[in-house]
Amino acid sequence: AESCVMAPDPAASRRLSLMSQQAYGPRVGKTRLLRVLERQDVRATFFVPGFTADCWPDSIRAIRDAGHEIAHHGYLHEPMQGITAEQEAAYLDRGLEALDRLGVTPTGYRAPWWELNWHSPALLAERGFRYDSSLLDGDVPYRLNTAHGPLVEVPVDWTLDDWEQYAFFPGWTGSGVIESPRKVHEMWLLEAEAHHAEGGCVVLTNH
């Protein structure tokens, strides 16, 4: 929702049209997605920034009440590169507090921008997280050992992320092109078939 553009540029909150674009997900897209998941009898994981939980509590409750997992995604989708362990711990704790206000205790985490630091896994294990889904070095989940115990890592893949296909923000990462759904469907289906043939784990990421 709004956190993705407000984290790098707080002044973005003054742009009504941009804020309306960011509000489409929790206002409209979430309801459509929940209908699709219910129709297919599929349970999904929603990685939710704490700021989004604070701004859109009814949307997050709807996700929870539909039986889907709610996991941690920072507080304000903060840029992660180069921050200290203390700064990152504060972001984690603030996000945990926001989710706790909705009665959610997450066991999973995905770093904003998929950008973990070397100290991140230990911070997660210390707070009782059981898994992370931010790294890109595997096709199947694996054990990630830390000073505070193990995490399960569920690797991700840019080819299975809709940001590259549909994110149109000039100057941002991403193609800047809105692709045809037919092309995206073909690409994702081929990726899923290849993962299946190799015994891999398909992790589709949709914003």
Side-chain angles (χ1 to χ4, degrees):
E2 298 89 347
S3 64
C4 194
V5 295
M6 289 178 60
D9 181 17
S13 63
R14 297 197 293 267
R15 299 172 58 190
L16 176 57
S17 291
L18 178 59
M19 290 295 99
S20 74
Q21 178 185 6
Q22 296 305 111
Y24 183 89
R27 188 183 296 277
V28 179
K30 170 266 309 172
T31 302
R32 290 183 173 178
L33 184 54
L34 289 178
R35 285 203 302 266
V36 170
L37 294 168
E38 181 180 15
R39 188 166 64 244
Q40 299 295 331
D41 193 24
V42 169
R43 294 295 171 267
T45 297
F46 288 73
F47 293 92
V48 178
F51 182 81
T52 304
D54 283 341
C55 291
W56 298 94
D58 289 343
S59 289
I60 307 310
R61 290 189 190 98
I63 294 167
R64 178 199 65 195
D65 293 348
H68 302 288
E69 179 187 15
I70 295 174
H72 196 300
H73 197 39
Y75 183 76
L76 191 63
H77 207 277
E78 297 88 355
M80 303 294 286
Q81 286 182 312
I83 65 172
T84 66
E86 291 74 20
Q87 288 173 304
E88 187 167 344
Y91 296 156
L92 287 170
D93 292 341
R94 193 175 183 194
L96 285 169
E97 291 165 3
L99 294 175
D100 183 65
R101 285 192 282 274
L102 298 179
V104 173
T105 302
T107 60
Y109 177 75
R110 177 168 285 163
W113 314 106
W114 287 349
E115 193 71 53
L116 284 188
N117 295 296
W118 290 103
H119 52 249
S120 303
L123 292 175
L124 295 173
E126 184 180 20
R127 283 156 178 77
F129 285 93
R130 297 181 63 191
Y131 77 90
D132 171 72
S133 184
S134 308
L135 300 180
L136 301 96
D137 58 350
D139 293 325
V140 295
Y142 62 89
R143 183 182 297 266
L144 186 64
N145 292 313
T146 84
H148 294 284
L151 290 170
V152 171
E153 179 61 35
V154 183
V156 289
D157 184 346
W158 280 112
T159 60
L160 290 168
D161 188 311
D162 68 340
W163 187 269
E164 290 297 302
Q165 310 305 318
Y166 293 118
F168 185 71
F169 291 102
W172 286 34
T173 58
S175 66
V177 175
I178 299 175
E179 298 286 5
S180 161
R182 287 190 179 90
K183 174 186 172 183
V184 177
H185 175 264
E186 179 188 37
M187 183 182 72
W188 285 348
L189 181 59
L190 289 171
E191 287 288 331
E193 290 172 343
H195 275 280
H196 180 69
E198 292 291 326
C201 177
V202 178
V203 181
L204 182 63
T205 301
N206 292 280
H207 289 82

